[in-house]
Amino acid sequence: MAKIYAVGVGPGDPELLTRKAERILRNVDVILAPVSNPAEASVALEIIREFIDENRQEIIVHQFPMTSDKTLLIPAWQEAAALIAGHAALGRDVAFITIGDPLFYSTFIYLLRILREQWADVPIEIIPGISSINASAAQAGIPLVESEEKMAVIPATAGIEQIAAALLTFETVVLLKVKPLFTDILELLRQTGRERSTVFVERVGSARQKILTDFTEISAHSPDYLSLLIIKQP
């Protein structure tokens, strides 16, 4: 029976793919790559280009709107799940690729629920990937947590109040999707004296990678969507 794979391709560096991920990607019949804007290239697809054969494998780029509006998102999820299941029904192995890890703030989480509900007989295998958090800490050379320390991971879009509360409770706070609230976040960090214990990382593992530790440089930078902040206690 054909199988559906969810493959985490890591944050940007092709060498950070696991051996299992590479093996699966070389052998599946169909690869579905998500994209938020059809005018832009799929980041996940660009990471794996060297491992696939576009003459032999079918590559599908599927748009998922960059919005929180469920009336737009749910049809896109259902369409993608049906597309994946349809290929599997024809006996074709399918890989849904995602940057980072498939079960960590990934679109595949929503597809997984639909597939389990509507195509429960189709086997699904999830291949974990290295998250941008781990890769960013490695590139910056900064420990995330040690001993009894605690860490919180927060999408910055959760709001400045949630971020402020986390800074009071956790030794390490990692903020994802910082672009929309970047100015407010920087002001909060100034107010809480975190200027010297903040690291900014953008597009980690890619040719566009940027790591900033000087708060003046961080404040002057206009962040990319794929950016995060690692904030330690002073």
Side-chain angles (χ1 to χ4, degrees), residues 23-161:
R23 174 177 59 79
I24 288 169
L25 291 172
R26 289 186 184 278
N27 287 286
V28 293
D29 303 296
V30 181
I31 295 171
L32 193 146
V35 65
S36 58
N37 184 341
E40 298 178 357
S42 165
V43 175
L45 185 57
E46 292 306 307
I47 293 171
I48 67 164
R49 286 283 186 191
E50 64 185 271
F51 305 125
I52 60 178
D53 181 353
E54 297 188 50
N55 293 318
R56 178 180 58 83
Q57 297 168 294
E58 182 175 355
I59 312 300
I60 302 171
V61 177
H62 186 82
Q63 183 184 8
F64 295 90
M66 184 62 70
T67 178
S68 58
D69 186 347
K70 293 292 182 66
T71 63
L72 298 176
L73 286 172
I74 291 175
W77 297 337
Q78 292 176 329
E79 181 182 348
L83 184 61
I84 292 169
H87 281 287
L90 295 174
R92 310 179 80 194
D93 289 331
V94 185
F96 180 94
I97 57 174
T98 177
I99 56 173
D101 180 86
L103 298 180
F104 188 75
Y105 292 114
S106 166
T107 297
F108 184 74
I109 295 170
Y110 309 106
L111 304 188
L112 179 61
R113 292 178 182 141
I114 296 171
L115 289 167
R116 283 176 171 171
E117 290 174 0
Q118 299 182 24
W119 293 276
D121 58 325
V122 180
I124 300 172
E125 183 174 351
I126 298 169
I127 314 303
I130 294 174
S131 76
S132 60
I133 296 172
N134 297 101
S136 295
Q139 289 294 315
I142 178 173
L144 288 171
V145 280
E146 58 185 284
S147 187
E148 304 301 320
E149 290 181 345
K150 304 176 297 299
M151 182 175 79
V153 179
I154 304 175
T157 49
I160 206 71
E161 295 82 7

